[in-house]
Amino acid sequence: MSKTKKMILSALLLALDIVLSRIISVPIGHIKFSFGFVPLMLAAIWLGPKYSILIAVLNDLIGALLFPVGEFFIGYTITALLDGAIYGFLLYKKPEEEWSKMKFALRVILSTLLVSVICNLFLSSLWSYIITGDAYLLILSVKLSLEVIRLPVKIVTILAITKVLEPITKKYLVEE
């Protein structure tokens, strides 16, 4: 894929990520549920870790600037960077590599599980504790109950979307 095509695609995915994660989201206490993970995971799959990290960090920074919720806190930006890195390193398939559908599904499950545990549970709970002073274990338990619901939704959603987008991906994103 050409560098120009990658830049255009990453800009579109970034815009979609901001809309899905900042505008079209459902707040549940201190926690929001959104489908903002979809553009980030697609960036990881199609463009690789450099782009998924960049999109995740820019989404956090631009979103905090345009749609602030409290004061800016760098911890959430670090978490966004880790989200992009985990997805990017586990989901990007180099053009010369061949993956079975099972291998791809296992990588989606593993990356989603790692992001849920490391980023959404532990780090996000730590940042909330630092900012609010609420009990860490209480925050963790609330987030754990949400992650138990969110994890299978994310896995099924990304597997379904990549399946639906497969013909378009092969036609427009894979160079021959």
Side-chain angles (χ1 to χ4, degrees):
M1 185 180 322
S2 72
K3 201 164 196 103
T4 304
K5 194 183 273 190
K6 284 183 177 183
M7 287 174 54
I8 292 168
L9 183 58
S10 59
L12 289 170
L13 290 171
L14 173 61
L16 185 59
D17 196 3
I18 291 170
V19 168
L20 289 176
S21 64
R22 302 292 178 154
I23 298 172
I24 306 173
S25 62
V26 178
I28 304 168
H30 291 298
I31 305 163
K32 288 188 303 183
F33 182 79
S34 75
F35 284 95
F37 65 91
V38 172
L40 182 60
M41 289 179 84
L42 291 177
I45 293 165
W46 294 335
L47 302 170
K50 287 189 293 189
Y51 288 91
S52 61
I53 291 169
L54 182 65
I55 289 169
V57 169
L58 286 175
N59 175 36
D60 184 72
L61 295 174
I62 294 169
L65 181 67
L66 296 178
F67 309 101
V69 179
E71 293 183 30
F72 175 77
F73 184 70
I74 194 70
Y76 291 113
T77 307
I78 293 167
T79 302
L81 184 145
L82 284 173
D83 282 355
I86 291 169
Y87 286 138
F89 286 113
L90 288 175
L91 296 179
Y92 181 63
K93 179 180 70 70
K94 294 182 177 106
E96 64 274 4
E97 289 180 306
E98 280 296 320
W99 288 1
S100 67
K101 291 181 190 269
M102 180 58 80
K103 183 175 182 177
F104 175 70
L106 289 174
R107 284 176 167 260
V108 167
I109 292 167
L110 178 62
S111 64
T112 307
L113 184 62
L114 286 173
V115 166
S116 289
V117 171
I118 296 169
C119 300
N120 298 345
L121 281 178
F122 292 111
L123 287 178
S124 185
S125 297
L126 176 63
W127 309 143
S128 294
Y129 166 72
I130 290 171
I131 291 170
T132 65
D134 292 343
Y136 180 76
L137 291 177
L138 177 64
I139 296 169
L140 190 65
S141 65
V142 170
K143 289 189 183 227
L144 177 62
S145 60
L146 182 63
E147 284 305 309
V148 167
I149 297 167
R150 222 183 340 194
L151 186 67
V153 170
K154 284 182 173 183
I155 292 167
V156 169
T157 301
I158 202 63
L159 289 174
I161 287 175
T162 53
K163 178 74 174 158
V164 168
L165 293 179
E166 192 174 12
I168 296 167
T169 304
K170 285 181 180 175
K171 184 174 181 180
Y172 294 108
L173 299 182
V174 178
E175 297 204 13
E176 306 203 14

